[in-house]
Amino acid sequence: MTGKIVMVIGPSGVGKGTVVRELRARYPEIWFSISATTRAPRPGETNGVDYYYLTDDEFTELEESGGMLETAEVFGMNRYGTMAAPVDQAVADGKIALLEIDLDGARQVKAARPDAFGVFIAPPSFEELSRRLVGRGTEDPAAIAARLETARNELLAIDEFDAYVVNDSVESAARQLAELIGLPPR
Ligand code: ADP
Ligand code: 5GP
């Protein structure tokens, strides 16, 4: 298999994490990029598994030394980024390097690595996206409102990348994603 960067893109709450979890369960050979962030871990999250949790200073140092493929400030307070070296190494090793990423980050990766394959995950409807975000229960009402406002704009980018998948059922979305990136049915 030839290595490539695959970006899973979409608004907060659309189900990227859930679909990617299903995909990784079926295809353990996929290499998954662990992002760096300055936000605090949520209950149940582990450093080095869900994210690398960095201080502001640590993040800045890495960014200024050219170690980030992309960075973003999400919702005006927390910084997120993808470290370049591990991604490039995974691709050189012939692996699918999967990036779960927001829209701005995806645009930066596409600019830096034009071969990166982008799949946009769309909700069945805006109302369903809102229900999922509320149902997840990880943000307060103000943060949910901010994410939905951002999502309304982000959904306009559905045709900007190489393909999109509607996350109706997790099983079907994961199957479509696998097919799009050239993985055999499993
Ligand atoms: P993201 O990673 O895009 O922010 P999550 O994976 O955290 O989104 O999903 C947001 C919420 O929606 C979670 O509570 C998740 O269980 C739920 N969810 C994800 N996909 C589906 C689906 N296909 N049908 C119903 N609920 C879903
Ligand atoms: P959360 O705090 O809910 O885990 O993630 C918030 C947002 O940050 C999500 O929309 C997620 O896609 C985005 N995000 C996570 N990691 C990265 C990253 O490495 N780069 C960019 N640009 N966005 C990221």
Side-chain angles (χ1 to χ4, degrees), residues 10-12 16 34-37 39 42 45 51 70-72 74-75 78 80-82 100-106 108 136 139 147 154:
S12 182
K16 298 181 298 295
I34 298 169
S35 301
T37 183
R39 85 153 161 77
R42 294 186 184 127
E45 290 183 345
Y51 284 101
E70 57 85 32
T71 62
V74 181
F75 314 118
N78 296 315
Y80 295 82
T82 305
E100 190 190 320
I101 205 166
D102 78 346
L103 191 55
D104 283 343
Q108 292 175 54
R136 189 172 66 183
E139 279 85 17
R147 285 179 187 221
E154 290 188 348

Side-chain angles (χ1 to χ4, degrees), residues 16 29 32 62 64 74 102 105 152 161 168 171 186:
K16 298 181 298 295
E29 67 270 34
F32 184 71
L62 200 53
E64 287 179 352
V74 181
D102 78 346
R152 206 178 276 285
F161 294 92
D168 207 330
E171 198 278 331
R186 199 179 281 168

Side-chain angles (χ1 to χ4, degrees), residues 60 74 89 144 150 166:
T60 302
V74 181
Q89 186 61 54
I144 289 175
T150 303
V166 176

Side-chain angles (χ1 to χ4, degrees), residues 9-21 42 100 121 124 128-129 131-139 147 166-171 173:
I9 308 152
S12 182
V14 78
K16 298 181 298 295
T18 306
V19 172
V20 165
R21 204 158 37 242
R42 294 186 184 127
E100 190 190 320
I121 309 291
E128 176 61 17
L129 175 64
R131 267 195 295 276
R132 287 180 190 174
L133 211 41
V134 171
R136 189 172 66 183
T138 48
E139 279 85 17
R147 285 179 187 221
V166 176
N167 179 19
D168 207 330
S169 87
V170 177
E171 198 278 331

Side-chain angles (χ1 to χ4, degrees), residues 25-107:
R26 293 186 199 189
Y27 302 93
E29 67 270 34
I30 293 175
W31 183 90
F32 184 71
S33 172
I34 298 169
S35 301
T37 183
T38 60
R39 85 153 161 77
R42 294 186 184 127
E45 290 183 345
T46 307
N47 188 36
V49 175
D50 300 285
Y51 284 101
Y52 292 106
Y53 300 95
L54 304 182
T55 63
D56 250 26
D57 286 350
E58 288 168 340
F59 195 104
T60 302
E61 201 171 303
L62 200 53
E63 188 171 18
E64 287 179 352
S65 66
M68 293 290 196
L69 196 56
E70 57 85 32
T71 62
E73 198 168 290
V74 181
F75 314 118
M77 30 179 199
N78 296 315
R79 291 193 286 166
Y80 295 82
T82 305
M83 289 175 274
V87 172
D88 291 336
Q89 186 61 54
V91 171
D93 290 344
K95 296 175 183 157
I96 288 179
L98 197 75
L99 273 53
E100 190 190 320
I101 205 166
D102 78 346
L103 191 55
D104 283 343
R107 286 173 174 147

Side-chain angles (χ1 to χ4, degrees), residues 103 107 120 126 148-158:
L103 191 55
R107 286 173 174 147
F120 193 96
F126 192 77
L148 285 174
E149 188 52 39
T150 303
R152 206 178 276 285
N153 291 319
E154 290 188 348
L155 289 171
L156 301 173
I158 187 167

